[in-house]
Amino acid sequence: MADSKKEPPHQPRDESRRKFLKYSGTAIGGVVVGGVIGGLIGANGKNGKTEETPPAQPDTGKPAQAAERDFNQALMFFNQDQFLAAEAAAERIYPKDDSGPGAKELGVAFFIDHQMASSYGLNGREYMSPPFYKSEATQGYQLSFKRRELIALGLDALNTYSNDKLQKAFPDLAPEDQDKVLGDFEKDAVNLKGVPASTFFSYFLNLTIEGVYADPLYGGNKNMGGWRMRNFPGNQMSYTNDIEKDEFVKMEPLSLSDHLEIG
Amino acid sequence: MATKLPKVPIVIVGMGWVGGIIAAELTKAGHSVVGLERGKSRNTQDYFHVHDELRYASRYELMQDLSKETVTFRNSDKQRALPMRSYGSFLLGDGLGGAGVHWNGQYYRFLPYDFEIRSKTIERYGAKKIPEGMAIRDWGITYDQLEPYYVKFEQMAGIGGEPTTQPNVGKMSKPFPVGPMKKTPAMKLFEDSAKKLGYHPYVIPSANLTELYKNPDGIERAACQYCGYCERFGCEYGAKSDPVVTVLPVAQKTGKLDLRTHSNVTEILHDGKRAMGVRYVNTPTGEEYIQPADIVILSSYLFSNVRLLLMSKLGKPYDPKTDSGAVGRNYAYQVNGASTNVMYEDREFNMAMGAGALGSSLDDFNGDNFDHADLKFLHGANIRFTQTGLRPIQSQPAPMGTAKWGAEFKKQTLHYANRVLTVAAQGSSMPYRHHYLDLDPEYKDALGQPLIRLTFDFEDQDRELVTYIAGKTKEIADGMGGTKTEIHDSIKQYNIVPYQSTHNTGGTIMGSDPKTSVVNNYLQMWDAENVFICGASAFSHNSGFNPTATVGALAYRAAEGIAKYIAKPGSLV
Ligand SMILES: Cc1cc2nc3c(=O)[nH]c(=O)nc-3n(C[C@H](O)[C@H](O)[C@H](O)COP(=O)(O)OP(=O)(O)OC[C@H]3O[C@@H](n4cnc5c(N)ncnc54)[C@H](O)[C@@H]3O)c2cc1C
Ligand code: SF4
């Protein structure tokens, strides 16, 4: 390992991380304070695996195809109405078009549901101690409502408001009417028992964008469809050989699941 | 009841860059050191799945858990301060390595002007140039005095930069140990345009290693892979210089560092003249310990540095009404907001590729490198183009006025995803009498102790600076061959909601006058000679640069001062 320092780091674009590790291992040999890379190579060595062990899945150079059933697509937090409202609203925020899938196809509503069930939905790492006072806009969120309470309340309110105004639940409205309702929430034109409509809307908007572009690990961005539309390569291990290039380099994206090979 | 531990020579509070540097220097010199860090331990193995934007960038995996402790904020003392409940304008470090783990690694020495800002301003423009309420001061140290300590940091961290510096920045007695980062096509566009205008662009000096490097301590690390997951992430290659892969292993190897993580320091014990040690809580069990020590070093970032002093009633608290006292004064920040976007219809750039410190910048409008006689502000900004890795959740570039959601939003943000380059400015921040830190009267942390309270706003100085500097960013952007440019040239109030910068400064400032400063130029506390207060809290103002070069240089100087103090106790100045 140590004598091949001169070899430039080399990463064949379509190859698995395991292969990349092998290459970069030679390239960055001699690392004293080992990174993960050093550590993994070491671990391989310890097991006497100098040759590559066959990966669990055939290494086609492409990310794994979607399994026939996605067991992740089930609900952790929303009730059915909330889920349907979330799915419809997210689709209006990020609609399907010529360039590719919309939020619904990307699984964004499942992403939001799962996030609401996580510590993020419970503001687990945020300061939620009282007292709660009315704030200036420059001071940020100051409601005692946890994120999941706000989102559930807002989704319920989408249905109530749609029913009151247009006699249909939000998911059953025509897309233009859905946009109008969402616009009313965005502009705080909705007054439903003190639901902070614009706060709900901006949280929901952020969650939708996250669901489109977060690693597919979290249930959205299905099959990396969000990334593909933007030509975002996901998480490659190295761009050393491409960073100076004049032309735009398109690559098949990689997700964290493509990197799940533990020494 | 707190358990009293045996006395030790030196205790350090907070193990980020500053704590790490001082621990390494003192242990190498043979001194025994206890390092207390409230967060967890870390190593590069933790970053196996670090290329996760949601977890690290949007959910702040590596940062301080705000449910345990945060800051409260108000724009002026006429308001009630309220807690920063979620992040946020700045992101606080926590755990071994502190914010050094998730920084970008952009490395800039401050300008000679910075250290003598008051006298140089008066010399060139007269005393009237300094507006009422602006609290700029000379730092009690000059660039030339600090210069050798910058060199130490550069050699340790393996800073990569161009072999010669521009004429408008401080001279270097030794060139950077390794060469600059690679130059992308977009960086070339920026530099070419700037050069045509007669400016002096250069590749940003980088703490992302540009080649395999062995530092003077024998630590050898690999080169940066331009992976695009740098700011807010840890580096799985150990290529980003951070305390965990540089100074801390050196300190640990001496066998002289007793590193205790999950140790939250709550009080400096003292008799009014000297510190006797610290009190800390072992966070998993809640047990309290008293660690007596001959020397106490605070390196817990400015919010904790100031908070610990005030909670412990050590030093004189600053009173903005009477302009007396020192602990908490001269809070300053970074004035961003001047920028110009360049859009390209005919080409795309590899914006997902990048590194924390990758970019080019210039200082023609920084410090006093340009004439301020007819301008209504002092100082200036570093103007830069950076390519740090554009990730899709955090950034959806689009022309101004594009809808925030819906079909148009999708269409435009997909189209422009790789077609926008931003020329931005990192503006300096001047201290004002009414910008300060003190203890919040109402809100408490998880242990029931007061939160630190921040009172801060942007001033006319900052608005003028942004408008002027934005014009310069546009000038450069216009020459970058795009289809269209869009300028952002105004800021309003300081708002704690959007992320701006984790370059908070001041609160325990250095100086030569014990009445208005907290520490001398070895960062030794005037009011307690065996206490050293280190980090950007010592800055009297913030320059138009990232702070860590100067933070690191001052840490090396403090370490030298501490060693001197051990040999011969007393005031070092
Ligand atoms: C996203 C980001 C990007 C940045 N990019 C750059 C850049 O490109 N260039 C640059 O120059 N700077 C940059 N910075 C700033 C840089 O990270 C800091 O200047 C530097 O890390 C500060 O080091 P420090 O040791 O003073 O503080 P910290 O790194 O904050 O370390 C303080 C340590 O003290 C601990 N601590 C606090 N209170 C207590 C207590 N009561 N008891 C025990 N321990 C305690 C904390 O947990 C922490 O580990 C960036 C910062 C961030 C967040
Ligand atoms: S960009 Fe470079 S230094 Fe930063 S995390 Fe990636 S490999 Fe490490």
Side-chain angles (χ1 to χ4, degrees):
Chain A
M1 249 193 232
D3 58 348
S4 44
K5 268 179 213 165
K6 279 147 261 144
E7 214 177 281
H10 171 57
Q11 185 207 13
R13 195 163 305 126
D14 293 335
E15 305 240 356
S16 71
R17 175 180 180 159
R18 181 181 298 277
K19 284 192 189 142
F20 168 59
L21 290 181
K22 198 169 146 221
Y23 286 114
S24 73
T26 53
I28 63 177
V31 176
V32 172
V33 181
V36 168
I37 303 309
L40 285 176
I41 293 160
N44 275 343
K46 254 188 261 144
N47 299 339
K49 291 183 204 156
T50 43
E51 286 301 301
E52 279 179 52
T53 39
Q57 289 194 334
D59 186 4
T60 57
K62 294 221 176 70
Q65 292 299 309
E68 265 168 45
R69 276 182 72 187
D70 185 347
F71 291 94
N72 188 266
Q73 294 213 333
L75 299 184
M76 298 179 182
F77 172 68
F78 287 150
N79 66 27
Q80 197 181 9
D81 287 343
Q82 288 161 349
F83 175 74
L84 292 173
E87 196 168 53
E91 181 67 17
R92 293 316 301 154
I93 288 170
Y94 200 90
K96 184 180 171 90
D97 64 5
D98 295 347
S99 50
K104 182 172 175 179
E105 211 172 310
L106 292 168
V108 169
F110 289 107
F111 167 88
I112 298 177
D113 171 75
H114 298 357
Q115 286 296 302
M116 292 304 99
S118 78
S119 77
Y120 183 64
L122 291 162
N123 303 58
R125 299 181 73 239
E126 292 167 18
Y127 189 82
M128 293 303 279
S129 308
F132 293 90
Y133 295 108
K134 226 173 130 37
S135 64
E136 304 292 327
T138 57
Q139 294 175 305
Y141 187 78
Q142 295 292 338
L143 302 176
S144 64
F145 253 46
K146 299 217 165 136
R147 200 171 271 109
R148 61 148 74 167
E149 296 172 308
L150 183 72
I151 293 294
L153 190 86
L155 291 169
D156 291 343
L158 277 182
N159 278 330
T160 314
Y161 186 73
S162 306
N163 271 320
D164 286 356
K165 284 222 131 176
L166 301 156
Q167 291 74 50
K168 276 185 189 159
F170 181 79
D172 302 330
L173 296 178
E176 310 79 67
D177 287 333
Q178 289 178 333
D179 287 355
K180 273 193 211 117
V181 169
L182 289 172
D184 286 349
F185 275 68
E186 184 184 23
K187 293 191 298 273
D188 252 334
V190 178
N191 200 342
L192 277 172
K193 294 189 210 128
V195 175
S198 63
T199 309
F200 157 73
F201 183 84
S202 72
Y203 274 43
F204 190 84
L205 174 60
N206 281 340
L207 282 161
T208 302
I209 301 299
E210 289 174 354
V212 169
Y213 293 125
D215 193 281
L217 148 72
Y218 297 97
N221 187 17
K222 197 161 165 83
N223 296 327
M224 301 185 281
W227 288 349
R228 278 206 182 81
M229 284 184 281
R230 261 182 79 134
N231 287 319
F232 181 70
N235 34 54
Q236 311 285 327
M237 293 308 294
S238 171
Y239 295 119
T240 301
N241 295 331
D242 293 316
I243 187 80
E244 290 163 303
K245 286 191 179 147
D246 271 314
E247 73 274 14
F248 186 73
V249 186
K250 280 197 185 162
M251 349 186 145
E252 177 65 18
L254 291 176
S255 71
L256 287 171
S257 137
D258 293 303
H259 297 291
L260 191 68
E261 291 183 18
I262 298 167
Chain B
M1 265 311 285
T3 309
K4 193 163 176 181
L5 300 166
K7 187 168 176 182
V8 298
I10 303 163
V11 64
I12 304 184
V13 182
M15 295 307 278
W17 263 131
V18 175
I21 288 170
I22 295 175
E25 291 304 290
L26 293 177
T27 53
K28 278 193 285 178
H31 304 293
S32 293
V33 170
V34 169
L36 300 176
E37 166 55 49
R38 68 177 169 186
K40 65 179 174 188
S41 184
R42 281 209 182 98
N43 64 43
T44 43
Q45 314 287 331
D46 296 337
Y47 311 136
F48 180 43
H49 265 186
V50 78
H51 290 186
D52 182 341
E53 186 185 10
L54 186 75
R55 175 175 170 196
Y56 288 89
S58 303
R59 302 286 182 264
Y60 314 108
E61 172 77 26
L62 297 174
M63 288 93 186
Q64 177 178 321
D65 180 345
L66 297 182
S67 74
K68 295 180 184 158
E69 187 185 327
T70 185
V71 305
T72 69
F73 161 70
R74 56 185 180 172
N75 286 106
S76 81
D77 60 11
K78 292 184 187 67
Q79 281 174 8
R80 185 204 304 268
L82 296 176
M84 176 172 80
R85 295 192 180 274
S86 47
Y87 286 115
S89 173
F90 42 81
L91 305 172
L92 302 165
D94 185 74
L96 208 57
V101 166
H102 50 77
W103 73 321
N104 277 317
Q106 298 168 6
Y107 178 92
Y108 293 101
R109 293 176 172 203
F110 280 7
L111 300 167
Y113 164 76
D114 280 307
F115 301 98
E116 297 164 273
I117 187 167
R118 187 175 183 88
S119 28
K120 288 200 168 170
T121 301
I122 293 172
E123 191 185 303
R124 185 163 174 189
Y125 307 105
K128 285 213 187 78
K129 185 75 185 167
I130 302 169
E132 174 69 27
M134 186 190 279
I136 48 170
R137 287 206 170 74
D138 294 355
W139 287 36
I141 194 165
T142 61
Y143 175 85
D144 289 342
Q145 281 175 296
L146 198 57
E147 205 281 335
Y149 306 100
Y150 278 123
V151 174
K152 285 193 177 188
F153 189 88
E154 286 151 17
Q155 299 293 321
M156 175 275 294
I159 303 298
E162 295 182 353
T164 53
T165 46
Q166 297 295 340
N168 55 13
V169 300
K171 296 224 170 358
M172 292 175 63
S173 63
K174 205 170 176 182
F176 290 119
V178 287
M181 299 289 275
K182 292 175 191 283
K183 221 184 255 186
T184 67
M187 285 160 71
K188 286 188 193 139
L189 288 174
F190 171 85
E191 292 200 6
D192 289 348
S193 173
K195 276 187 204 143
K196 276 203 198 106
L197 292 162
Y199 304 149
H200 301 83
Y202 58 93
V203 176
I204 297 175
S206 166
N208 313 139
L209 271 185
T210 57
E211 58 188 69
L212 188 79
Y213 176 67
K214 189 171 186 174
N215 79 5
D217 294 317
I219 296 276
E220 192 173 25
R221 294 183 298 118
C224 166
Q225 302 292 309
Y226 300 86
C227 79
Y229 288 80
C230 203
E231 175 174 28
R232 303 191 182 191
F233 304 84
C235 179
E236 69 220 278
Y237 298 97
K240 169 159 63 177
S241 304
D242 83 29
V244 181
V245 297
T246 55
V247 285
L248 287 168
V250 170
Q252 274 165 320
K253 211 173 144 208
T254 63
K256 299 248 170 215
L257 173 64
D258 176 356
L259 181 62
R260 302 181 199 153
T261 48
H262 298 292
S263 301
N264 189 8
V265 176
T266 54
E267 189 182 353
I268 306 157
L269 304 161
H270 64 91
D271 65 3
K273 288 205 183 73
R274 286 178 60 81
M276 330 292 272
V278 299
R279 181 192 298 273
Y280 71 93
V281 176
N282 175 39
T283 54
T285 61
E287 280 166 292
E288 262 194 345
Y289 292 92
I290 285 172
Q291 178 60 68
D294 291 325
I295 297 175
V296 173
I297 299 163
L298 296 187
S299 50
S300 56
Y301 204 57
L302 75 165
F303 295 116
S304 279
N305 281 359
V306 172
R307 184 169 175 255
L308 283 170
L309 291 173
L310 293 175
M311 289 197 309
S312 314
K313 298 193 167 34
L314 182 58
K316 290 173 206 73
Y318 173 59
D319 180 353
K321 296 208 170 61
T322 56
D323 198 18
S324 63
V327 180
R329 73 155 73 227
N330 281 39
Y331 175 83
Y333 191 41
Q334 199 85 71
V335 179
N336 298 337
S339 67
T340 303
N341 286 343
V342 198
M343 278 128 199
Y344 296 81
E345 291 305 326
D346 52 347
R347 74 181 283 193
E348 289 182 89
F349 297 88
N350 292 305
M351 297 308 285
M353 306 176 189
L358 184 63
S360 300
S361 68
L362 51 91
D363 297 313
D364 298 83
F365 300 95
N366 206 352
D368 204 23
N369 286 344
F370 57 115
D371 186 11
H372 290 73
D374 296 327
L375 299 172
K376 294 198 199 93
F377 64 93
L378 291 175
H379 215 300
N382 174 268
I383 295 178
R384 61 246 304 278
F385 164 76
T386 58
Q387 192 167 338
T388 60
L390 254 194
R391 296 170 300 270
I393 298 175
Q394 303 278 311
S395 73
Q396 295 102 34
M400 278 176 181
T402 300
K404 294 276 180 293
W405 54 280
E408 179 66 11
F409 164 80
K410 180 179 176 190
K411 190 164 165 248
Q412 297 284 15
T413 52
L414 292 182
H415 177 72
Y416 285 102
N418 295 298
R419 292 174 193 275
V420 181
L421 306 181
T422 303
V423 178
Q426 178 158 248
S428 56
S429 172
M430 299 300 105
Y432 282 80
R433 204 173 135 172
H434 51 284
H435 296 170
Y436 61 100
L437 298 168
D438 64 356
L439 294 179
D440 191 273
E442 188 157 17
Y443 289 97
K444 305 276 189 284
D445 71 2
L447 297 172
Q449 299 196 301
L451 296 181
I452 192 84
R453 174 170 70 177
L454 165 61
T455 306
F456 178 70
D457 208 344
F458 290 138
E459 303 289 330
D460 286 342
Q461 143 86 23
D462 306 316
R463 288 180 275 269
E464 294 282 340
L465 183 151
V466 164
T467 305
Y468 179 83
I469 299 289
K472 302 297 169 193
T473 65
K474 175 140 188 340
E475 208 185 3
I476 298 164
D478 282 341
M480 285 170 62
T483 325
K484 191 170 117 179
T485 59
E486 287 182 348
I487 185 173
H488 297 89
D489 63 356
S490 73
I491 53 165
K492 298 193 179 82
Q493 271 195 304
Y494 173 65
N495 181 341
I496 203 160
V497 180
Y499 182 74
Q500 288 153 69
S501 167
T502 311
H503 304 163
N504 320 77
T505 63
T508 68
I509 64 172
M510 60 193 287
S512 41
D513 178 0
K515 281 209 201 66
T516 53
S517 59
V518 178
V519 294
N520 63 28
N521 67 17
Y522 282 99
L523 308 190
Q524 179 184 34
M525 192 175 187
W526 293 115
D527 289 344
E529 284 168 356
N530 67 338
V531 176
F532 290 78
I533 310 164
C534 311
S537 59
F539 293 13
S540 176
H541 70 272
N542 198 14
S543 186
F545 288 121
N546 310 60
T548 308
T550 303
V551 167
L554 285 171
Y556 276 102
R557 176 158 170 102
E560 190 182 292
I562 295 159
K564 278 190 191 166
Y565 176 85
I566 295 168
K568 187 169 170 286
S571 172
L572 292 163
V573 295

